[in-house]
Structure formats: C-alpha cells, structure tokens
Amino acid sequence: MVVKIFGVLLSLLLVGVLTAQLLFAAAPFSSDKHIKTGLNCHSCHETEKVVAGAKVGMGKCLSCHGPYDKLVKRTDNLILNWHENPHYGELDCNECHHGHRADENTCRRCHKKP
Ligand code: HEC
Ligand code: HEC
Ligand code: HEC
Ligand code: HEC
C-alpha cells in the first residue's frame, strides 16, 4: 500500500516536472528562429568557417531588415518602441538581439513599462 501511494506521488511529481518544462521552455535564440525560416549560418556569417569570437555587424542585419526606419514601423504598436529612442540613436542590434543566447532588452534598465 505504502509503495503504491509512493508510486502515485512519484508519477504526479514527474507529470509536474514535465509540464513545467513545457511551460518554461526557453524561447529559441535569434539564430534558431532564422534557421527555422530556411536561412543558414552564412546568412549572417560571411566566413567559410565560423570560429569562436565571430561577430556579425549591424550592416548585415540591416541588409535584410533595414533601413532602421522600417524596423521602427514594425514595432510601432509597442508602448515603448525599442527601435526608436531619444537617447542613443540607432543602437546596434546586438545590444538586445544576440545570435546564440537569449535576447535582452536594455531599455528595461531604466524603463519599467513593456
Ligand atoms: C541571425 C543571425 C545568425 C545566424 C543565422 C547564425 N549566427 Fe552565429 N552569431 C550571430 C551573432 C550576432 C554572433 C555574435 C554574438 C555576440 O557577439 O554575442 C554570432 C556568433 C557566433 C559564433 C561565435 C560565438 C562566440 O561566443 O565566440 C559562432 C561559433 C557562431 N556564431 C556559429 C554559428 C553557426 C554554426 C551558425 C549556423 C548554425 C550560426 N552561427 C548562425 C548571428 C547569427
Ligand atoms: C538573410 C536575411 C537576414 C539576415 C542577414 C538577418 N535576418 Fe533576421 N530575419 C530574417 C527573416 C526572413 C526573418 C523572418 C521574417 C521576419 O520576421 O522578418 C527574420 C526574423 C528576425 C527577427 C524576428 C524573430 C522572431 O521573433 O520571430 C529578429 C529579432 C531578427 N530577425 C533579427 C536579426 C538580427 C539581429 C540580425 C543580424 C544579426 C538578422 N536578423 C539578420 C532575415 C534575416
Ligand atoms: C534596445 C533593444 C533593441 C535593439 C537595439 C534592437 N531591437 Fe529588435 N526588438 C527588440 C525587442 C524588445 C523586440 C520585440 C520582442 C522580441 O522579438 O524580442 C524586437 C523585435 C524585433 C523584430 C521583430 C519585429 C516584429 O515584427 O515582431 C525584428 C525583425 C528586429 N527586432 C530586428 C532588429 C534589428 C535588425 C536590429 C538592429 C538593426 C534591432 N532589432 C535592434 C529590441 C531591440
Ligand atoms: C540609463 C537610463 C535609460 C535607458 C537605458 C533608456 N532610457 Fe529612455 N529615458 C530615460 C529618462 C531618465 C527619460 C526621461 C524621463 C522620462 O520621461 O521617463 C527617458 C525618456 C524616454 C522617452 C520619452 C522621451 C520624450 O520625448 O518624452 C522615450 C520614448 C524613451 N526614453 C525610450 C527609450 C528606449 C526605447 C530605450 C532603449 C533603447 C531607452 N529609453 C533607454 C532613461 C533611460
């Protein structure tokens, strides 16, 4: 009996863990989203072999997403438009969109609103 209850509790725990994993699964990184749309490493990286320390300049991003004004229009619906600010001008994409780690929002350092 005790063993059975323990078994049930254990399965409940497992179900809980699996659900949590589904709910809190990390959003894919910027590069993953691009690969999903059919692009490849070379869409961003120009070199034959992509080595540690590789960088991608903003010009590359803008060659597909630019000019900046177009980007500003895409996110015009936001209360605080990340792509348009009165402080820094046209910020490098990599300030917020990282190729292979989670995006961040540097405006949040000071602005609490979404
Ligand atoms: C959407 C554009 C994009 C795509 C697609 C992309 N990358 Fe990157 N990658 C970046 C950016 C941006 C950086 C610079 C990261 C940084 O400075 O934080 C980078 C950096 C790197 C680095 C250096 C990482 C380091 O920490 O030294 C490697 C290696 C790399 N990429 C490999 C790849 C490979 C392999 C692919 C294909 C599977 C790929 N990348 C696809 C944008 C991209
Ligand atoms: C070869 C063209 C190309 C390049 C280069 C490129 N992108 Fe993209 N990107 C796309 C396409 C296509 C999509 C999917 C359609 C869309 O949202 O525009 C996309 C989508 C995105 C998205 C939206 C992802 C989401 O949440 O759905 C972001 C953010 C983005 N790109 C940022 C970048 C950044 C930053 C760089 C430079 C490191 C970059 N892109 C380089 C073509 C490109
Ligand atoms: C100050 C932070 C910041 C900078 C700098 C920035 N972005 Fe964004 N961007 C965001 C945030 C926040 C979103 C909305 C949430 C998300 O997709 O992560 C977004 C969304 C996007 C989208 C998707 C728009 C849509 O239709 O949903 C694209 C494409 C994009 N950014 C490209 C770029 C490119 C290319 C650059 C550089 C030229 C850039 N961003 C610079 C913060 C930034
Ligand atoms: C170091 C702190 C800091 C950062 C980072 C920051 N801001 Fe601000 N921002 C301020 C302050 C301070 C004000 C003026 C007080 C206010 O209106 O809240 C302001 C005001 C603004 C305003 C209103 C300006 C006006 O004309 O009324 C906008 C829009 C704005 N910021 C957008 C942004 C965006 C977008 C980012 C990210 C790219 C950003 N800010 C990053 C501190 C910051």
Side-chain angles (χ1 to χ4, degrees):
M1 187 59 185
V2 172
V3 174
K4 232 184 195 169
I5 289 174
F6 184 70
V8 167
L9 284 177
L10 199 65
S11 348
L12 280 177
L13 185 71
L14 270 177
V15 167
V17 168
L18 287 175
T19 319
Q21 274 179 352
L22 275 179
L23 285 177
F24 299 108
F29 301 152
S30 197
S31 59
D32 305 330
K33 292 179 184 165
H34 284 84
I35 306 278
K36 259 201 193 137
T37 68
L39 299 174
N40 57 42
C41 314
H42 297 294
S43 307
C44 288
H45 296 284
E46 288 179 35
T47 49
E48 190 55 46
K49 223 169 150 226
V50 190
V51 293
K55 297 266 178 267
V56 176
M58 174 160 87
K60 192 73 194 174
C61 313
L62 286 176
S63 72
C64 288
H65 293 288
Y68 229 106
D69 292 347
K70 201 172 124 198
L71 218 48
V72 171
K73 285 207 190 83
R74 274 185 73 159
T75 42
D76 238 359
N77 56 324
L78 297 171
I79 297 171
L80 196 72
N81 190 345
W82 320 119
H83 297 128
E84 188 177 44
N85 74 81
H87 322 294
Y88 310 107
E90 301 183 347
L91 274 174
D92 194 306
C93 321
N94 200 23
E95 285 270 328
C96 303
H97 302 287
H98 306 298
H100 308 276
R101 58 193 163 94
D103 284 357
E104 61 184 319
N105 189 337
T106 55
C107 312
R108 287 248 164 83
R109 276 190 289 141
C110 304
H111 296 281
K112 300 282 176 265
K113 282 278 171 202

